[in-house]
Each structure stands twice: as structure tokens, then as C-alpha cells.
């Protein structure tokens, strides 16, 4: 089968979400199909695969065909509370017995951080490359996922701001992002595990060479800046980067699989009725190197 990728909405400019056809993710992919998907990710940043009724193992096989996976170490659930292996992120509101979490359950409250704009695993020294999210069960309304194109957001900055952000390094931690929501219920071990890590604010894509803003709610400081000033500046940049002209909002259907490049996008989940089941499974490819190694070229004078 030949892979075909077209804009989901050809009227959007710039478009960065592509609809993929000619792929059955229940079957192993050929080298040509894998290459076409990588090329599609470079061109778009977000890819949608409709009608893919896969199980966990099939999702893992597909994901590993694209590159090495990271482990789900950003989860707050204890190992004995998990429903699945550490190769999968449980993006659901369910406990290990497939019961909906109570409204005040610590795991649910921590998970509300996914409703803030972020890039997966930016709180890890080596952050994420691709994320692949499979919709197994969705609520009757709400629960969309929005994506922001950080390449277009960078391109739209004025020259003065481009010079200002060019060499900045931020500190990222899940402690920062959850603190925005008032969630501070961390153990000493969790605070140590999620100690701040350094990430560039502007990074260069290793294949296309395009520059993008590397923002996330996990970013809580800029090296060398007073914290209040840094957070105000990061908030301004996030407001700029998430203007509607840079955003694609995905309304989920059962068995959708959406794949995005965390190096060039941010995303956030939207609210839904917490008493209804939302069962999503995410596999995540590691970027393999730190964003510090993907520095932009020097700016022209």
C-alpha cells in the first residue's frame, strides 16, 4: 500500500496537520512506508491515522519501527497502580481495575496538567521526539486535543524578539507545570526525580533546519533572569504561539491515532465530563539527544 498524506484542512495556512491514508497499523510497515511517515512528520508536524483499531502490542510494534521508545517515567502512578507496561503512557481517567478515578484522586489531579500547553517530556534531560496517541474509548463530548505549530510561531516573531530568545536556556520541571494549577502534593522522591532540567528556548530541527520555539508549561525559569520576569516573558511567548492561526484542534473519533513531533509543536487536552471514560494510550519516541545539542546557527548581524 502506498502512503498518501494530505492536509486535513487544505484551506488552513500554514497547514501543519496531515491526514494519512494507505497504512494499516495492525500490519508491519515496509521500509518505504516508514520513510514516508518520517517525511510526512518533517513536512507537517502532526499526522492523523483514521480507523486504526489497534491493541497495545500493535501500537508498540508500529512505534518501534519509527525509532527507540522512552519509558513512561513522567507518570505519578506507583508501579502497582499501573494498568500497562512502562512502554506505554496511560492517558486515561481509569484506575488499574478500569474504574473511573474519583474527582479528587491524586492521579487525576496530577493529570489535569495535560490541559496546559506543553511538549511531552521536556522535563527530561533527553526530551521526546514523536508522541503517538491512540483513542480506545472517548467521551461523548469534549476531550479534544489542540496542537500549536512552534515553527510558524517562531517565524512570526519580530527580529528584536528573535535576537532576544536566540540563546536563552530554560529550566523545565513537572513541579513547575503542576504548581500553576495549585498541585503541590509531591513526595521528596518525586521532587528529586523531577528536578529542573535545561532546555533551549529556540531549537533547530535536525532534518529540515527550521527553527522553532521550545515552550511548555513545564518551563518555569530562564537561566540568568529573575524568576518573575522570566515567567512573564514565557507567558507572553506562549500567548503568541497559541494564537488560533497557529493551532489545529483535533476532535477525536474512536480508533484515531494522532502522531506529533514534540520538537516543533505544543499541545494540550481539553476538558470533558470526568465521569465518562476517556481511555487513550501513548507511546513516545525519545529524541536521543538533548535540545542543547540542537542549537540554532548564529544570527546574522
Amino acid at each position: 500500500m502506498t502512503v498518501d498524506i494530505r492536509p486535513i484542512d487544505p484551506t488552513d495556512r500554514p497547514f501543519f496537520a496531515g491526514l494519512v491514508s494507505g497504512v494499516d497499523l495492525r500490519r508491519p510497515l515496509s521500509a518505504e512506508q516508514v520513510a514516508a511517515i518520517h517525511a510526512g512528520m518533517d513536512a507537517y508536524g502532526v499526522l492523523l491515522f483514521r480507523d486504526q483499531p489497534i491493541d497495545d502490542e500493535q501500537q508498540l510494534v508500529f512505534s518501534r519501527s519509527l525509532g527507540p521508545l522512552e519509558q513512561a517515567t513522567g507518570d505519578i502512578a506507583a508501579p502497582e497502580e499501573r494498568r500497562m507496561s512502562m512502554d506505554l503512557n496511560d492517558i486515561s481517567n481509569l484506575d488499574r481495575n478500569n474504574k473511573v478515578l474519583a474527582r479528587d484522586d491524586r492521579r487525576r489531579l496530577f493529570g489535569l496538567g495535560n490541559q496546559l500547553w506543553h511538549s511531552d517530556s521536556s522535563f527530561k534531560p533527553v526530551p521526546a521526539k514523536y508522541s503517538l496517541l491512540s483513542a480506545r474509548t472517548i467521551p461523548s463530548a469534549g476531550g479534544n486535543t489542540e496542537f500549536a505549530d512552534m515553527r510558524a510561531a517562531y517565524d512570526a516573531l519580530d527580529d528584536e524578539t528573535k535576537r532576544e530568545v536566540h540563546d536563552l536556556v530554560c529550566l523545565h520541571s513537572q513541579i513547575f507545570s503542576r504548581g500553576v494549577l495549585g498541585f503541590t502534593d509531591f513526595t521528596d522522591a518525586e521532587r528529586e526525580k523531577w528536578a529542573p532540567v535545561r532546555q533551549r528556548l529556540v531549537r533547530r530541527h535536525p532534518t529540515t533546519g527550521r527553527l522553532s520555539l521550545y515552550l511548555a508549561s513545564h518551563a518555569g525559569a530562564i537561566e540568568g533572569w529573575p524568576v518573575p520576569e522570566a515567567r512573564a516573558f514565557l507567558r507572553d511567548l506562549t500567548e503568541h504561539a497559541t494564537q488560533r492561526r497557529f493551532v489545529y484542534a483535533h476532535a477525536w473519533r474512536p480508533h484515531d491515532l494522532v502522531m506529533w513531533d514534540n520538537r516543533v509543536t505544543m499541545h494540550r487536552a481539553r476538558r470533558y465530563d470526568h465521569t465518562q471514560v476517556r481511555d487513550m494510550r501513548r507511546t513516545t519516541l525519545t529524541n536521543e539527544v538533548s535540545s542543547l545539542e540542537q542549537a540554532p546557527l548564529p544570527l546574522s548581524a
Side-chain angles (χ1 to χ4, degrees), residues 120 128-133 258-260 262 282-285:
D120 288 334
K129 181 180 180 182
Y130 300 160
S131 292
L132 302 90
L133 189 59
V258 176
M259 174 177 170
W260 62 90
N262 289 286
R282 194 188 84 212
T283 40
T284 315
L285 272 65

Side-chain angles (χ1 to χ4, degrees), residues 31-294:
E32 292 76 14
Q33 288 175 315
V34 169
I37 290 170
H38 280 301
M41 288 295 283
D42 289 346
Y44 288 89
V46 177
L47 295 180
L48 167 61
F49 301 76
R50 291 280 194 202
D51 303 316
Q52 301 290 339
I54 56 175
D55 59 25
D56 289 352
E57 184 57 32
Q58 290 165 335
Q59 183 171 347
L60 286 168
V61 169
F62 170 52
S63 302
R64 288 177 177 138
S65 72
L66 300 171
L69 300 185
E70 66 170 38
Q71 295 287 287
T73 55
D75 196 340
I76 205 168
E80 64 273 12
E81 296 174 327
R82 290 184 56 83
R83 296 191 301 149
M84 55 198 67
S85 78
M86 292 294 290
D87 292 324
L88 288 143
N89 286 269
D90 188 358
I91 313 297
S92 78
N93 60 343
L94 302 174
D95 65 18
R96 67 171 302 160
N97 297 312
N98 294 315
K99 303 296 184 183
V100 173
L101 295 170
R103 189 170 195 173
D104 61 352
D105 189 285
R106 181 173 183 264
R107 291 164 292 179
R108 176 181 178 270
L109 298 178
F110 178 84
L112 291 176
N114 289 328
Q115 295 181 17
L116 302 175
W117 287 106
H118 65 285
S119 177
D120 288 334
S121 297
S122 73
F123 54 85
K124 297 180 180 181
V126 176
K129 181 180 180 182
Y130 300 160
S131 292
L132 302 90
L133 189 59
S134 170
R136 309 299 175 83
T137 305
I138 59 174
S140 59
N144 293 352
T145 301
E146 296 179 341
F147 299 90
D149 186 347
M150 307 305 285
R151 300 160 299 188
Y154 174 83
D155 290 344
L157 293 174
D158 59 69
D159 289 342
E160 181 180 352
T161 305
K162 285 180 179 177
R163 286 191 293 271
E164 186 171 21
V165 300
H166 189 267
D167 293 316
L168 295 180
V169 173
C170 298
L171 299 178
H172 289 236
S173 171
Q174 291 203 103
I175 306 297
F176 296 147
S177 55
R178 272 50 186 183
V180 171
L181 300 180
F183 184 97
T184 57
D185 180 21
F186 293 103
T187 66
D188 290 343
E190 287 166 346
R191 291 183 183 278
E192 181 178 358
K193 174 183 176 182
W194 291 320
V197 301
R198 304 172 73 237
Q199 305 286 3
R200 295 196 59 86
L201 182 51
V202 178
R203 63 190 300 185
R204 177 173 46 85
H205 192 283
T207 304
T208 68
R210 287 191 68 181
L211 301 184
S212 60
L213 289 171
Y214 192 39
L215 291 165
S217 58
H218 307 310
I222 298 174
E223 288 188 344
W225 286 42
V227 169
E229 183 181 6
R231 293 187 181 180
F233 184 54
L234 292 171
R235 179 170 293 189
D236 284 348
L237 289 175
T238 299
E239 289 178 357
H240 162 78
T242 56
Q243 296 175 72
R244 300 314 303 176
R245 60 184 171 131
F246 302 136
V247 172
Y248 162 67
H250 182 68
W252 291 94
R253 300 180 191 173
H255 307 305
D256 279 353
L257 184 138
V258 176
M259 174 177 170
W260 62 90
D261 190 337
N262 289 286
R263 301 169 299 181
V264 300
T265 63
M266 276 201 302
H267 64 283
R268 66 174 179 176
R270 307 311 293 135
R271 295 185 70 234
Y272 61 96
D273 182 348
H274 71 93
T275 67
Q276 296 188 21
V277 173
R278 185 178 189 263
D279 186 0
M280 320 284 276
R281 316 287 175 94
R282 194 188 84 212
T283 40
T284 315
L285 272 65
T286 176
N287 191 52
E288 300 186 67
V289 299
S290 166
S291 69
L292 301 175
E293 297 183 38
Q294 296 176 328

